[in-house]
Amino acid sequence: MPQLKSPMDILRLLDHSNCRQCNEPSCMAFAAQVFKGKKKLSDCPKLDPYVIEQYGEGVESGDRPPTSEEAVEAYVKSLKQEVRKIDLPAVAEKLGGVYQYGRLTLKVLGKAFSVYPDGTLSAEIHTNPWVSVPVLTYITKGAGRNITGKWLPFRELKQGSAWSGLFRQRCEKPLKQIADNDYDLFVDLLDVFNGRPVEHLDADIARVFYVLPKVAIMVCYWRAEVDFDSNLNIFFDEAANDNLDIASINALGSGLARMFEKLAVKHSTGQPFAVSL
Ligand code: SF4
């Protein structure tokens, strides 16, 4: 695990926005508190989960730590090395994918995403680390458990309670904001990814997505009423517990929210939707 030996090493990982969401007056103050052991890296909701995973929560002596981009890159590299040890044709069916033309292909939010035996990735659309890491984790660590039909809120997933604040902040809140601002646009965005409409309680809209073949999520949104604020919750099929780790589930949710935000901005400037993952 890379090591952090000074507050400056910690500060280098942060986004320098001084947004105060960690309840500290600045990123520098937060870095100092982490260095003293009074805060954890995960107390910063803007820090990438993969960076947290790379560093853990402790501060130790050592060489200059890599930047957050380097940490994610190193993690992707280690997952690709794990892929090389896996018999992809043998696990294709278990993962809900297909092995053809010398590569394993999985559907990620309905888009084809392929992995070659040497760990090389290719996709029909542009991809980002927020999707590469979960896909590689699904292949290397997932149990391939079938979809159960039982839905759980994020906090009830394994280790979900520890990550639920981050997930609420980085996924559910931004998506709710988009829906609050422009409900019709939000519905259009859900349609871009072929969400399957479902009846869920009294939600105004509920759609199921397969973020991976055996990782299903249900996005539910309730519009504001006279005495109630609007609300948005995301539920997970219970199989997600065994098919993906909590960091990857959180990253997929955060990435999805970022992508929706980008598409909403494009819409507001009259640009066509150009989907990337
Ligand atoms: S929440 Fe993160 S980005 Fe915001 S001030 Fe704290 S450390 Fe900086």
Side-chain angles (χ1 to χ4, degrees), residues 17-142:
S17 64
N18 299 324
C19 70
R20 300 185 173 202
Q21 290 181 54
C22 57
N23 295 319
E24 294 297 330
S26 66
C27 293
M28 186 64 233
F30 176 79
Q33 292 297 88
V34 173
F35 190 67
K36 290 178 195 164
K38 293 184 176 173
K39 289 263 181 187
K40 297 179 291 184
L41 286 176
S42 56
D43 290 330
C44 169
K46 294 189 166 185
L47 199 48
D48 195 299
Y50 295 114
V51 176
I52 297 169
E53 197 162 274
Q54 282 288 298
Y55 290 99
E57 300 289 5
V59 175
E60 300 170 40
S61 62
D63 297 325
R64 178 192 80 78
T67 62
S68 58
E69 290 78 15
E70 288 168 343
V72 173
E73 201 178 305
Y75 192 54
V76 169
K77 196 173 167 190
S78 71
L79 287 172
K80 286 181 176 179
Q81 282 166 352
E82 288 296 309
V83 166
R84 289 181 198 142
K85 300 175 194 163
I86 292 176
D87 183 351
L88 294 182
V91 299
E93 188 178 344
K94 180 187 86 169
L95 297 174
V98 175
Y99 193 89
Q100 258 184 336
Y101 312 118
R103 61 184 189 249
L104 169 67
T105 299
L106 305 170
K107 286 289 175 84
V108 181
L109 282 166
K111 312 294 178 193
F113 195 107
S114 296
V115 181
Y116 291 83
D118 68 355
T120 305
L121 306 174
S122 77
E124 61 179 284
I125 53 175
H126 175 70
T127 59
N128 298 295
W130 71 263
V131 71
S132 304
V133 174
V135 169
L136 290 167
T137 303
Y138 178 79
I139 294 169
T140 55
K141 301 179 178 16

Side-chain angles (χ1 to χ4, degrees), residues 175 178-179 182-195 207 209 256-257 259-265 267 273 275:
L175 290 177
I178 294 169
D182 189 336
Y183 180 76
D184 292 337
L185 170 64
F186 182 66
V187 175
D188 286 347
L189 289 172
L190 295 176
D191 288 342
V192 166
F193 292 95
N194 305 315
R207 296 283 170 89
F209 297 90
L256 191 66
M259 183 175 60
F260 270 47
E261 285 176 324
K262 282 184 190 166
L263 291 173
V265 169
H267 173 82
F273 290 154
V275 177

